[in-house]
Amino acid sequence: MSADTLVLILVATVAAGVPLIFAALGELIVEKSGVLNLGVEGMMIVGAISGFMVAAESGSLWLGVLAGAFAGMLMALVFAFLTLSLMANQVASGLALTIFGIGLSAYMGQAYNSVALDGLKAIQIPLLSDLPVVGKLLFGYDPLVYLALLMYPLLVWFLYYSRGGLILRAIGESPSSAHALGYPVIKIRYLAVLFGGAMAGIGGAYLSLAYTPLWSEGMTAGRGWIALALVVFATWRPGRVLLGAFLFGGVTIAQFHVQGMGVEIPSQFLSMLPYLATITVLVLISRNAATIRLNAPASLGQAFHNEVH
């Protein structure tokens, strides 16, 4: 394998991991607040079609990105109202959100199936982008890739070095204690869920505006579920989320290069690889229940009833 081919594989791996980074880091914040939102897939797919529609009609890709984030937040707001205000079951509500999002996106996207866009272009940095190997590997991406990478240090700082992050984690561990100290548990959980929705929406918009700049029904292809698995795989730590996203991105890209190398493996099996990897990782992690108990927020998935509205 030549150096150029290896660089192309690495660049493609990074691009494939970007929607997972957005969705998984957003879900990490949601779960750190004690809320379990299984509707990531639904928020991503609605963000994808909303961003594509706005970009196609307005001619502005960045308006499309904002529309994707806003659509994800609207979906998240529905989930938050059901689970935080009406105390609906979080698991059932998240599953319903995904089913609703998949159906809504298919309906919204009927008129855009044959439309293609000139997607987000890589940033060209004079001299640096032209460097051999390093130029393509470090300076050959579109702005959303750099935004996804920037979100990692920002969220690490927020979670572990800011007062807001401390309050968020306290609410995830013991909402009753946080409420007794005067913190608005429901309000903070609302904000966390909305942030997670915006991140999932941006992840979806990245798929339809940069990764493959067109609309295709079901184009998220289970990435929302992989993002959920990534949070568990990472034991709720941002650094491991980043690593896991690139790992699963690499598995996704590997299937295409294995086919191109002439390896005689059924294409259906290769298409299964990302999902087989997800299941394998979850099974391995689940074997050690102590790891889950020690790292998962103590109140994850539990409704909070004590606050008076």
Side-chain angles (χ1 to χ4, degrees), residues 22-303:
F22 279 120
L25 287 179
E27 179 63 16
L28 176 70
I29 294 296
V30 175
E31 294 191 15
K32 281 289 189 180
S33 74
V35 178
L36 178 62
N37 184 358
L38 298 182
V40 178
E41 179 81 2
M43 295 186 294
M44 285 187 75
I45 193 71
V46 171
I49 182 55
S50 299
F52 188 85
M53 288 174 61
V54 170
E57 298 299 332
S58 69
S60 171
L61 295 173
W62 288 108
L63 275 180
V65 173
L66 292 175
F70 184 69
M73 289 180 69
L74 285 180
M75 292 284 286
L77 182 62
V78 173
F79 172 83
F81 178 72
L82 290 173
T83 58
L84 301 179
S85 296
L86 300 184
M87 302 297 175
N89 181 274
Q90 293 181 14
V91 173
S93 298
L95 292 173
L97 191 70
T98 288
I99 296 170
F100 173 71
I102 292 172
L104 178 64
S105 65
Y107 175 75
M108 293 170 63
Q110 287 179 353
Y112 295 90
N113 283 320
S114 59
V115 178
L117 294 176
D118 190 17
L120 289 172
K121 300 299 182 183
I123 298 175
Q124 293 298 320
I125 304 174
L127 299 179
L128 294 179
S129 296
D130 297 325
L131 291 173
V133 182
V134 176
K136 290 183 179 179
L137 197 56
L138 298 180
F139 308 106
Y141 305 103
D142 63 80
L144 284 182
V145 175
Y146 296 109
L147 176 61
L149 297 176
L150 179 62
M151 291 306 300
Y152 164 67
L154 290 177
L155 290 185
V156 168
W157 173 83
F158 171 74
L159 283 173
Y160 302 109
Y161 299 99
S162 73
R163 183 170 180 268
L166 177 63
I167 295 171
L168 181 78
R169 289 186 289 123
I171 288 172
E173 293 298 330
S174 179
S176 298
S177 299
H179 174 64
L181 292 172
Y183 295 117
V185 174
I186 298 298
K187 178 182 178 181
I188 292 173
R189 283 186 167 181
Y190 256 97
L191 293 174
V193 171
L194 290 176
F195 174 79
M199 290 284 280
I202 294 174
Y206 174 81
L207 288 172
S208 62
L209 299 177
Y211 191 63
T212 53
L214 52 82
W215 165 249
S216 175
E217 186 177 332
M219 68 183 306
T220 49
R223 287 179 175 86
W225 299 112
I226 294 177
L228 282 164
L230 269 179
V231 177
V232 181
F233 164 77
T235 56
W236 293 269
R237 299 177 186 178
R240 293 183 182 180
V241 167
L242 199 67
L243 177 64
F246 291 137
L247 174 63
F248 282 101
V251 172
T252 302
I253 294 302
Q255 61 179 301
F256 302 112
H257 288 277
V258 168
Q259 288 175 326
M261 292 168 62
V263 179
E264 294 185 2
I265 300 177
S267 60
Q268 293 85 352
F269 177 79
L270 293 173
S271 299
M272 292 164 54
L273 280 179
Y275 312 105
L276 288 175
T278 303
I279 294 170
T280 302
V281 165
L282 288 177
V283 169
L284 291 175
I285 292 176
S286 299
R287 292 177 61 187
N288 189 350
T291 301
I292 302 296
R293 287 197 302 270
L294 288 173
N295 293 284
S299 69
L300 182 62
Q302 300 176 11

